[in-house]
Amino acid sequence: MLERVVRLNADYARAIDDDRLEDWPGFFTEKCLYKITSADNHRRGLEAGVIYADTNGMLRDRVAALREANVYERQTYRHLVGLPALVGTQGEVTRAETPFLVVRIMRDGSMDIFATGRYLDALVDDGGALRLRERVVVCDSGRFDTLLAIPL
Amino acid sequence: MGEMTRAWPVDTLARVPFWVYQDEANYRAELRRIFEGPTWSYVCLESDVAKPGEFRTTFVGEMPVIVVRGQDGDVHAFENRCGHRGALIALDDAGSVKNAFQCVYHAWSYDLRGNLIGIAFEKGSNGRGGMPSDFCKADHGPRKLRTTTLCGLVFATLSPETPPIEDYLGAEILGRVRRVMDKPVQVLGRFTQGLPNNWKLYFENVKDTYHASLLHAFFGTFRITRLTQGGGVLVSPDGAHHASYTIGVPEDAKSAAYREQGIRSELDGFRLADARLLDSVDEFNDRIQLQILTVFPNLVIQQVQNSLAVRQILPKGVEAMELHWTYIGFAGDDAEMRQRRLRQANLVGPAGYVSMEDGCVGGFVQRGAAAASDELSVVNMGGEGTESMDTRATEASVRGFWKAYRRYMGY
Ligand code: FES
Ligand SMILES: [Fe+2]
């Protein structure tokens, strides 16, 4: 299982960093939860996210909006995803916690650590493929520079 | 006046010199004359300091402040600066103390009103050292601010001259605050957004009703704005505060329009895969889908459909600021409403479908005008006045900002 989670994370990070955002919803099950929040909100049980999607359709809408509607300066991410810790199983669901670091590269060449944190995942086997039923992105900091366009 | 080196170059409110976003001396003057002057700065929610001893730390301009509920039930605010050597008194964003704050540096202590009440080794040790016997503790506390509360919002001011909040806002804007903040709030989350621009560029952006459908293409791309049948902008008589609003079409017309829209958008190829994002409830019973309100100099109250938030603007130097988002709902919300607010929070915030652009556009101005300090920005849509208008194709509320700004600054 560990190897499957590692492979999923590697593919997930490459899809985002290679600007294949259209592939990103495919890492999630149809009914899912994807949320970006901060460690502080998470600890206090405050539920809101800067991105909050509870269906795969909402993830696809996010990508469509980034492609067609939203305006932001050209930028890319480099994800460094750490090793997952498998923290439990409940029936068919595997729970994993994985640290990440994302460097944002702007069009003028400036590079900054944009976010660090951990993925709190609930993973299921979805017809032979391991998919995310839940990925709560808990950023260590609740401060985001300028804007958050591309998903973490 | 000595601190400022420039004179305002034009009389009309329809022109603004770019140096106003760049000049260090001007920025210092703003902190004194506006943020520490006779204005009400939003500091926190009343519910953040619900019980005696509960506090939050924040800023008024660049001045760090502690806001705390006293034993008397009142909300007090004072500078978060020790009267001894000036260290921060409270180090956490929020917390709770019993009766006093204690500075970590040399353990001077303060009551919940900010009075200096204790000095470690005040009498020295073994008869040596200690403070002079004529040292007066009452003269050496941090500066105190007056506070006021309105609809669960806490404001603070350093000036004895700031008028009561109701007069400060004016009846019209006051009514618009009450419209949204009409019940006990519940915090859903907090985020900070660091913006690479002068604080005024963001405050103007929020007041700028002209840009909304032009910069934020989300509603247009997904064919959502055309469902509105009107709107306008209210500007307080002094120009300082504003509320802009969009009125939705009545419910049955709306569902028909949505259906039509679905067909049209399908043809265009852009259609939300999950339209629940827009599933809204007319919770204030007035068909206003969107209301954006500013309170000079640092507060935005936002209702975008059922997504509610208060945003606090904090200046962080000439070319930087922070936006503190507090997403809220009401304590009485049912599970469905809470879920709706969480989904619709996608519209706003640092990653908001109709707000992420506001995070970068101020930086575009800051960078675009980098060499243009003596050139003038044009704020002419809808003329030169600052009166309320029943259209959003106007920059009246931006001019209102400059009217108030110039008055406070003495330009
Ligand atoms: S600086 Fe606070 S006690 Fe010395
Ligand atoms: Fe905007």
Side-chain angles (χ1 to χ4, degrees):
Chain A
M1 179 50 84
L2 185 68
E3 198 195 317
R4 290 182 80 190
V5 181
V6 168
R7 204 176 313 133
L8 170 75
N9 282 339
D11 292 344
Y12 178 102
R14 280 181 70 227
I16 294 174
D17 295 355
D18 294 350
D19 193 29
R20 286 182 285 109
L21 296 183
E22 284 70 12
D23 294 346
W24 172 65
F27 294 101
F28 294 82
T29 54
E30 200 47 44
K31 176 124 190 49
C32 60
L33 176 70
Y34 174 78
K35 174 164 96 167
I36 298 179
T37 186
S38 70
D40 193 58
N41 285 316
H42 186 70
R43 189 167 45 239
R44 291 174 196 273
L46 301 178
E47 290 177 279
V50 287
I51 294 182
Y52 184 98
D54 59 6
T55 60
N56 202 282
M58 287 186 80
L59 298 174
R60 298 198 297 276
D61 289 338
R62 182 53 74 169
V63 175
L66 289 177
R67 293 294 195 216
E68 305 298 337
N70 289 122
V71 179
Y72 52 98
E73 238 173 338
R74 195 150 49 78
Q75 54 187 269
T76 57
Y77 288 168
R78 180 63 59 204
H79 277 73
L80 293 180
V81 181
L83 285 177
L86 301 185
V87 293
T89 51
Q90 292 150 309
E92 53 165 350
V93 179
T94 301
R95 297 222 163 246
E97 185 178 323
T98 310
F100 67 85
L101 180 152
V102 171
V103 175
R104 183 173 63 179
I105 304 96
M106 300 301 294
R107 82 180 162 99
D108 68 357
S110 59
M111 297 185 287
D112 289 293
I113 294 179
F114 181 62
T116 66
R118 57 207 162 110
Y119 295 130
L120 303 186
D121 297 338
L123 300 129
V124 291
D125 189 294
D126 188 14
L130 190 68
R131 289 209 169 82
L132 294 158
R133 177 174 288 176
E134 205 178 292
R135 168 155 281 185
V136 178
V137 183
V138 180
C139 296
D140 297 320
S141 163
R143 185 183 192 279
F144 295 92
D145 179 65
T146 308
L147 54 80
L148 186 150
I150 304 167
L152 293 170
Chain B
M1 290 282 159
E3 58 195 335
M4 292 181 318
T5 49
R6 299 187 188 248
W8 203 260
V10 284
D11 205 35
T12 172
L13 293 172
R15 295 290 183 278
V16 178
F18 285 111
W19 56 255
V20 81
Y21 309 112
Q22 303 165 341
D23 188 286
E24 181 72 34
N26 184 67
Y27 175 70
R28 293 286 141 203
E30 287 171 352
L31 296 177
R32 301 285 98 76
R33 293 177 190 195
I34 295 176
F35 290 95
E36 296 171 30
T39 60
W40 286 112
S41 280
Y42 166 76
V43 285
C44 67
L45 295 171
E46 248 198 292
S47 60
D48 291 333
V49 291
K51 296 193 216 74
E54 285 184 357
F55 71 90
R56 271 199 89 77
T57 58
T58 182
F59 297 86
V60 167
E62 285 202 7
M63 178 173 70
V65 298
I66 297 173
V67 186
V68 59
R69 178 81 59 176
Q71 304 296 351
D72 52 4
D74 290 346
V75 180
H76 306 295
F78 52 91
E79 192 174 16
N80 189 4
R81 172 186 59 88
C82 181
H84 181 217
R85 302 303 311 276
L88 289 169
I89 297 169
L91 302 174
D92 287 328
D93 292 339
S96 179
V97 294
K98 256 200 150 49
N99 308 306
F101 290 91
Q102 193 173 57
C103 177
V104 296
Y105 202 168
H106 314 90
W108 286 25
S109 54
Y110 300 89
D111 71 13
L112 302 188
R113 293 171 171 274
N115 297 308
L116 173 61
I117 52 169
I119 294 180
F121 299 112
E122 186 173 7
K123 303 267 184 282
S125 77
N126 300 324
R128 288 196 302 272
M131 291 298 280
S133 57
D134 62 350
F135 183 81
C136 177
K137 290 209 266 301
D139 294 343
H140 291 274
R143 285 180 287 177
K144 291 173 184 161
L145 295 92
R146 285 193 295 137
T147 64
T148 191
T149 57
L150 174 71
C151 300
L153 305 162
V154 182
F155 298 85
T157 185
L158 261 183
S159 168
E161 270 130 53
T162 318
I165 190 78
E166 292 79 4
D167 302 344
Y168 181 76
L169 294 175
E172 213 169 26
I173 301 298
L174 182 63
R176 295 280 124 185
V177 175
R178 292 201 165 121
R179 170 183 172 270
V180 180
M181 307 295 290
D182 64 341
K183 292 185 285 282
V185 302
Q186 186 189 12
V187 173
L188 300 178
R190 295 175 201 279
F191 295 99
T192 299
Q193 193 176 0
L195 303 193
N197 55 260
N198 183 272
W199 68 276
K200 298 188 293 301
L201 286 168
Y202 184 77
F203 206 63
E204 287 182 275
N205 168 275
V206 179
K207 287 177 178 280
D208 171 4
T209 49
Y210 175 37
H211 86 280
S213 62
L214 301 170
L215 173 64
H216 306 301
F218 179 80
F219 282 153
T221 302
F222 292 97
R223 306 282 164 155
I224 299 158
T225 37
R226 62 180 51 187
L227 293 179
T228 61
Q229 77 180 14
V233 55
L234 307 172
V235 184
S236 66
D238 65 352
H241 326 292
H242 101 292
S244 60
Y245 59 96
T246 305
I247 302 167
V249 294
E251 209 45 52
D252 3 336
K254 184 171 159 182
S255 31
Y258 265 118
R259 241 175 289 120
E260 261 173 57
Q261 170 205 333
I263 296 160
R264 250 197 326 266
S265 305
E266 243 168 307
L267 293 176
D268 294 348
F270 299 123
R271 175 173 159 268
L272 289 177
D274 190 342
R276 289 177 314 148
L277 180 72
L278 306 170
D279 151 41
S280 304
V281 171
D282 184 16
E283 62 179 311
F284 304 110
N285 303 307
D286 57 8
R287 293 176 16 221
I288 292 178
Q289 291 183 331
L290 186 149
Q291 176 183 292
I292 305 291
L293 185 153
T294 56
V295 176
F296 189 90
N298 82 330
L299 173 65
V300 181
I301 302 172
Q302 156 230 304
Q303 175 226 338
V304 175
Q305 306 200 2
N306 298 112
S307 162
L308 310 178
V310 295
R311 315 177 196 164
Q312 181 191 25
I313 296 168
L314 298 179
K316 298 285 176 190
V318 178
E319 298 194 352
M321 59 161 277
E322 277 181 4
L323 192 57
H324 287 231
W325 294 81
T326 306
Y327 298 172
I328 56 171
F330 297 116
D333 287 347
D334 59 19
E336 201 186 339
M337 181 56 104
R338 195 175 57 247
Q339 213 53 38
R340 180 180 291 117
R341 295 199 204 282
L342 295 176
R343 276 198 305 272
Q344 292 193 350
N346 282 293
L347 293 167
V348 302
Y353 285 136
V354 295
S355 72
M356 75 167 78
E357 291 86 3
D358 297 326
C360 60
V361 77
F364 296 167
V365 176
Q366 198 81 47
R367 282 149 59 193
S373 55
D374 292 320
E375 303 289 321
L376 302 174
S377 165
V378 177
V379 193
N380 236 154
M381 286 296 287
E384 300 193 17
T386 65
E387 27 331 286
S388 300
M389 287 186 155
D390 57 3
T391 171
R392 286 167 297 145
T394 171
E395 293 173 306
S397 51
V398 180
R399 286 188 293 275
F401 172 80
W402 291 107
K403 180 174 157 185
Y405 178 87
R406 286 167 61 177
R407 185 167 60 82
Y408 283 104
M409 293 294 287
Y411 282 128

